[in-house]
Amino acid sequence: MTEPMGREPGGAGLPEDAMRRLAQLEPEEKGPMFTSDLTVNEFLLVREVGFRPLGLVLGSSVYHVGIQLGRWSKNQELTKLSQAMYHARELAMSRMETEADALGADGIVGVRLDIEFKEFGSDIAEFIAVGTAVKAAGADPGPGRTWLNNKGRPFTSDLSGQDFWTLIRAGYAPLDLVMGSCVYHVAHQRLSQALGTAGRNVELEHLTQALYDARELAMSRMQAEGRALEAEGIVAVQLRQHSHAWGSHTTEFFAIGTAVRPLRDDHVIERPAMVLSLDA
């Protein structure tokens, strides 16, 4: 069984500027003031399903991604790079969750997880996690009586406001954004292999196997995180491929999705209503 690569809650402490920004979002006599990157429709749907936005929360980690050498002619995972890419994302995620904790949030919706390579060097990247912290305001958390996941942390989800509304209305709740990473070196073709396939339609079986193995490792690690959360399933899974700055024969496969749990036994999905546009 594949195990998660090891999540580290908390991460480094929040900078003073972040604490001052969060303090400005605390309730005042006139009522709480929030910030959000939700669209108008997403904001209204999140409110309609029983959650109140508290504020925009973010986490950042500027990370030096080291070098790992592999055999030029061998398909293999570059485990040190896999761990680096995973750990850097987790640092950003945990800092975003810490900001949500500071606001007393029950969860974070609409999470975006991005990477930006900096001009400081081709091996230095900033990993950024951004989302809208929310507080339950009338939403029933189900038998567990809490919206926090089994790690005692606010739930996280990259679902849109519309998908979040549909999920809650259908009797499911998000647990956490789960992910798996695999950085893989794809072997170079030998000269004899290249000459043997020149001008022919033929499957390159060693390349097929390499990419298949790399995707499977990323997927299995994401699924292991879901099992650790005792999730019923993982929805809205994305399997992304990034070459980053490693060259054409080294690539990262990154799997990410939202682990979910049932809120109740029945999962009645409302029939969609027909909408006719009045626009010309």
Side-chain angles (χ1 to χ4, degrees):
M1 179 186 297
T2 302
E3 298 295 332
M5 298 187 75
R7 310 193 77 167
E8 299 182 6
L14 299 180
E16 292 183 5
D17 287 343
M19 297 305 297
R20 283 195 293 268
R21 173 174 55 82
L22 295 174
Q24 294 174 357
L25 300 177
E26 293 179 353
E28 301 174 353
E29 293 182 2
K30 297 181 180 179
M33 190 279 293
F34 70 88
T35 58
S36 171
D37 60 350
L38 299 173
T39 66
V40 173
N41 287 339
E42 288 179 309
F43 162 67
L44 295 175
L45 286 170
V46 168
R47 287 287 288 157
E48 197 276 337
V49 83
F51 288 87
R52 176 171 58 87
L54 297 177
L56 196 65
V57 289
L58 60 93
S60 172
S61 172
V62 178
Y63 208 90
H64 177 267
V65 181
I67 298 174
Q68 182 180 353
L69 300 178
R71 289 179 59 184
W72 186 80
S73 59
K74 182 181 179 181
N75 292 331
Q76 60 181 313
E77 182 185 12
L78 303 180
T79 54
K80 290 183 180 179
L81 295 184
S82 293
Q83 185 64 45
M85 299 300 290
Y86 184 93
H87 185 228
R89 289 186 179 95
E90 183 54 30
L91 283 172
M93 286 282 293
S94 64
R95 288 166 183 160
M96 178 186 68
E97 292 169 359
T98 299
E99 287 200 2
D101 270 336
L103 292 175
D106 290 313
I108 310 170
V109 299
V111 174
R112 303 192 315 274
L113 195 54
D114 299 322
I115 304 174
E116 295 180 0
F117 279 85
K118 300 298 184 182
E119 295 179 356
F120 317 142
S122 60
D123 51 0
I124 297 176
E126 182 182 21
F127 295 76
I128 309 165
V130 182
T132 296
V134 295
K135 184 77 174 177
D140 183 2
R145 311 311 305 165
T146 180
W147 287 100
L148 302 180
N149 57 36
N150 63 2
K151 299 182 296 183
R153 305 281 283 176
F155 69 78
T156 58
S157 169
D158 61 349
L159 299 177
S160 68
Q162 289 87 342
D163 286 344
F164 179 75
W165 179 89
T166 303
L167 187 75
I168 300 296
R169 291 294 292 266
Y172 287 93
L175 280 168
D176 211 0
L177 201 58
V178 290
M179 56 188 178
S181 175
C182 174
V183 179
Y184 207 90
H185 176 263
V186 180
H188 293 250
Q189 279 190 289
R190 297 185 181 90
L191 179 59
S192 58
Q193 292 174 316
L195 293 176
T197 57
R200 298 172 55 201
N201 291 330
V202 59
E203 182 183 14
L204 303 177
E205 294 183 2
H206 69 292
L207 296 182
T208 299
Q209 190 63 50
L211 298 181
Y212 199 106
D213 288 347
R215 290 187 178 97
E216 182 57 33
L217 284 169
M219 289 284 288
S220 62
R221 287 165 182 163
M222 178 191 68
Q223 291 167 350
E225 284 203 351
R227 284 192 294 270
L229 288 165
E230 300 178 358
E232 181 173 305
I234 306 172
V235 300
V237 172
Q238 300 177 57
L239 187 57
R240 308 170 185 168
Q241 181 178 359
H242 306 283
S243 294
H244 299 309
W246 299 313
S248 60
H249 279 262
T250 299
T251 188
E252 181 195 26
F253 288 95
F254 181 61
I256 188 169
T258 296
V260 299
R261 64 177 176 91
L263 288 171
R264 55 180 188 267
D265 292 333
D266 64 301
H267 303 292
V268 178
I269 301 175
E270 297 181 1
R271 294 177 63 86
M274 181 178 292
V275 177
L276 296 178
S277 175
L278 298 180
D279 296 335

